[in-house]
Amino acid sequence: MGTFIQLVVDGLAMGSIYGAIALAIVLVNQSTGMINFAQGGMAVLSAYFAYALLGMGLPLILAILVAVAISFVLGALIERLLMRRFESGDPDTAVVVTIGLLTLITGIAGMVWSYNNLQFPSLFPPDSFSVLGAAVSWRSLGTFLTIAAIMVLLQLMFQKTKVGLALRAVADNPKSSAFSGLPVGRLLMIGWGLAAALGAVAGALVAPRLSLTPGMLDGALVYALAAVILGGASSPIGVVFAAWLIGVLENLAAVYVPFIGHDLKIAVPFVLLFMVLLVRPQGLFGRKTVVRV
């Protein structure tokens, strides 16, 4: 029983990492209607900003807050100067551009800070405590609670605030939104800026656990994309629950399913994805798209 609980706790901790990136992807999707494959790279770059600010003598919390602000501006500029040229065209072209942006960001980070593992301090103490025989670290618990809080705030923003509703309207139909008087360009910049700021928080939470490298979130990005599809790209709550589910199931499968083990556990989210999409193509928490003729 103790082993089972430990696997669940560790799975929730890893799922929180996937959920942090998935939330930023959902934020861009809800704002622009596209999937940003560069989100993981932008989060890593934000973590490097915080690392550089720490080297200048800033306290950890202040360095992270400044990195969040810088990331918001950088995300808005990327939308304004780069992505806006492709948002009204073929969606596949925009996706390829984000993949190229990911490669560019990774290369810049490696060139400036090298590809060596760097130690990034944690906001939470490294100590652990026992729950039903399982060791739970304060770092894992802090990451879990932070992602849960951000998930709730994003859901409330999209459903209850004017900015959130305007972002959704622009993503659904930019032309109609413009005719309605909404500042489409400004809202797109805000959406990308908020996603980059959220990525900065994710990078600061993940870096102490994985160590800071340019490719730190490459593997997590794959799981985050699976969580977005599984949970539904329109639901912040859905993608986080899907990320937690993926983290827990892959841990349990690696130990309790003999032919999977730790080497093949990466297949678990994709098997789960296949099974769910056969029944609910829009994802567990996604909305069905209805086209009126």
Side-chain angles (χ1 to χ4, degrees), residues 241-281:
F241 273 96
W244 287 336
L245 183 63
I246 288 171
V248 171
L249 287 183
E250 71 167 354
N251 264 12
L252 294 176
V255 174
Y256 292 114
V257 181
F259 61 88
I260 291 183
H262 291 279
D263 294 332
L264 295 178
K265 70 177 185 178
I266 192 174
V268 171
F270 300 103
V271 173
L272 180 63
L273 192 63
F274 177 75
M275 294 170 60
V276 170
L277 292 184
L278 284 177
V279 182
R280 285 184 61 84

Side-chain angles (χ1 to χ4, degrees), residues 4-150:
F4 177 84
I5 295 173
Q6 186 68 60
L7 290 171
V8 171
V9 169
D10 292 343
L12 289 173
M14 283 305 300
S16 296
I17 293 175
Y18 310 149
I21 308 302
L23 280 175
I25 294 173
V26 165
L27 187 49
V28 170
N29 180 262
Q30 286 286 80
S31 307
T32 65
M34 63 175 289
I35 298 293
N36 179 20
F37 282 86
Q39 193 63 61
M42 293 169 67
V44 172
L45 186 61
S46 301
Y48 274 113
F49 289 154
Y51 180 83
L53 292 168
L54 283 172
M56 297 177 185
L58 268 66
L60 177 58
I61 185 65
L62 183 58
I64 292 175
L65 291 176
V66 174
V68 168
I70 294 173
S71 298
F72 179 89
V73 175
L74 180 62
L77 289 176
I78 287 175
E79 190 284 326
R80 180 65 183 88
L81 301 177
L82 177 64
M83 296 309 304
R84 190 168 297 188
R85 302 171 184 271
F86 305 98
E87 283 167 351
S88 59
D90 188 349
D92 294 337
T93 303
V95 168
V96 172
V97 171
T98 63
I99 295 173
L101 183 61
L102 170 63
T103 305
L104 176 63
I105 290 173
T106 302
I108 291 174
M111 181 177 65
V112 175
W113 287 282
S114 82
Y115 289 89
N116 298 325
N117 293 349
L118 302 176
Q119 295 303 313
F120 191 92
S122 175
L123 282 167
F124 310 104
D127 303 330
S128 300
F129 59 96
S130 180
V131 176
L132 299 176
V136 182
S137 70
W138 288 106
R139 182 182 298 172
S140 297
L141 180 62
T143 302
F144 176 86
L145 293 177
T146 302
I147 297 306
I150 293 174

